[in-house]
Amino acid sequence: MITLHHLENSRSQRFLWLLEELGVDYEIKHYKRDAKTSLAPPELLKVHPLGKSPVITDGDITVAESGAIVEYLLGKYDNGRLLPAEGTAERRAYTYWLHYAEGTIMPLMIISLILTRIESAPMPFFIKPIAKGITGKVRANYLGPNMKRNLDFIEATLSKSEWFCGDRMTGADIMMSFPLEAAAMRAGLKDNYPHAAALLKRIHALPAYKTALEKGGPYALLGG
Ligand SMILES: N[C@@H](CCC(=O)N[C@@H](CS)C(=O)NCC(=O)O)C(=O)O
């Protein structure tokens, strides 16, 4: 039996969806974020030394890191639906987007979240303009241009095909759903990136995605 160690309002949500797509038996172990810090509770450290979510256990096997979990689950339980055949252009695209999701776009989302946290943190009034000056420079010189270039790239990809790897959904779309959801909160996705917004809408309409939401309980991303 697979156990998904599921932290509320987190990247782990996409694994509820993936497990539903695969139709395998699984159970969910729920973890709550710390109310003040939003960090994961220490119980997750008993599952994996980094104490993050997602992490799954499958019998005596523990797998952490989203991309590795997708690879593990599709390698073991997919019937050729979500994992493109080896040696194909679709498989190369799948591998690319699988790594891109956590390796390139998510770090930008995290930087954005951290900057927002700094800007809204309680601090003496005379420090605030200094803090905002620094975060503003990071936004203008690094985050803004990089975010735009990446979202433009995603939009250009999705203007050529309905899904990230072509005409059908793959595990790469499940990986990319989380950064798209994060982008939808921050970047005015619907107005500026209609193809990306349309993909997100298609994803949200999928029966397995809806079941995942029902089973996982309330889901809201941390803003910023
Ligand atoms: N690259 C890792 C990131 C894992 C990660 O940072 N997860 C977040 C949830 S979105 C987490 O556990 N945050 C709580 C914490 O850092 O304490 C993955 O994709 O699995």
Side-chain angles (χ1 to χ4, degrees):
M1 168 76 98
I2 299 168
T3 303
L4 174 64
H5 298 268
H6 177 62
L7 179 66
E8 62 177 343
N9 304 329
S10 80
R11 286 162 168 87
S12 174
Q13 187 71 26
R14 61 189 160 188
F15 290 97
L16 291 167
W17 173 29
L18 174 55
L19 288 161
E20 286 299 323
E21 290 288 355
L22 291 174
V24 292
D25 277 343
Y26 70 98
E27 60 178 15
I28 309 169
K29 190 153 186 245
H30 292 270
Y31 298 82
K32 285 214 166 302
R33 290 179 183 269
D34 181 281
K36 271 199 190 133
T37 62
S38 298
L39 293 177
E43 294 87 76
L44 266 172
L45 285 166
K46 292 184 197 140
V47 188
H48 185 274
L50 296 185
K52 305 269 181 193
S53 175
V55 55
I56 60 159
T57 44
D58 187 6
D60 55 4
I61 297 170
T62 302
V63 190
E65 191 60 51
S66 299
I69 299 172
V70 172
E71 297 244 54
Y72 173 82
L73 289 175
L74 295 193
K76 193 159 173 192
Y77 299 104
D78 186 54
N79 51 11
R81 191 164 79 89
L82 297 172
L83 179 64
E86 229 161 319
T88 60
E90 204 188 4
R91 177 63 166 259
R92 284 190 294 281
Y94 159 86
T95 304
Y96 175 79
W97 291 108
L98 193 76
H99 289 276
Y100 170 91
E102 284 298 321
T104 296
I105 188 89
M106 275 315 292
L108 296 178
M109 298 295 172
I110 299 294
I111 292 171
S112 171
L113 180 66
I114 291 171
L115 294 182
T116 303
R117 289 270 165 97
I118 293 171
E119 286 155 358
S120 57
M123 62 183 84
F125 73 93
F126 54 91
I127 302 286
K128 201 133 199 139
I130 301 172
K132 282 215 161 168
I134 296 169
T135 59
K137 277 220 160 65
V138 179
R139 284 190 192 282
N141 297 334
Y142 179 76
L143 185 62
N146 271 292
M147 192 73 97
K148 182 177 181 327
R149 191 178 295 171
N150 275 271
L151 292 174
D152 286 352
F153 171 50
I154 288 171
E155 182 67 6
T157 302
L158 293 174
S159 68
K160 289 184 214 125
S161 61
E162 279 210 342
W163 303 90
F164 274 97
C165 305
D167 297 338
R168 67 188 183 112
M169 185 174 92
T170 69
D173 299 290
I174 295 178
M175 275 297 282
M176 284 300 294
S177 65
F178 188 77
L180 285 188
E181 278 169 353
M185 287 185 59
R186 295 174 181 122
L189 201 71
K190 217 158 72 195
D191 298 333
N192 303 321
Y193 301 100
H195 290 95
L199 173 58
L200 208 48
K201 203 169 162 197
R202 260 197 313 282
I203 288 173
H204 291 166
L206 293 170
Y209 187 93
K210 288 184 183 163
T211 309
L213 266 186
E214 279 159 26
K215 290 198 181 165
Y219 172 49
L221 290 186
L222 306 174

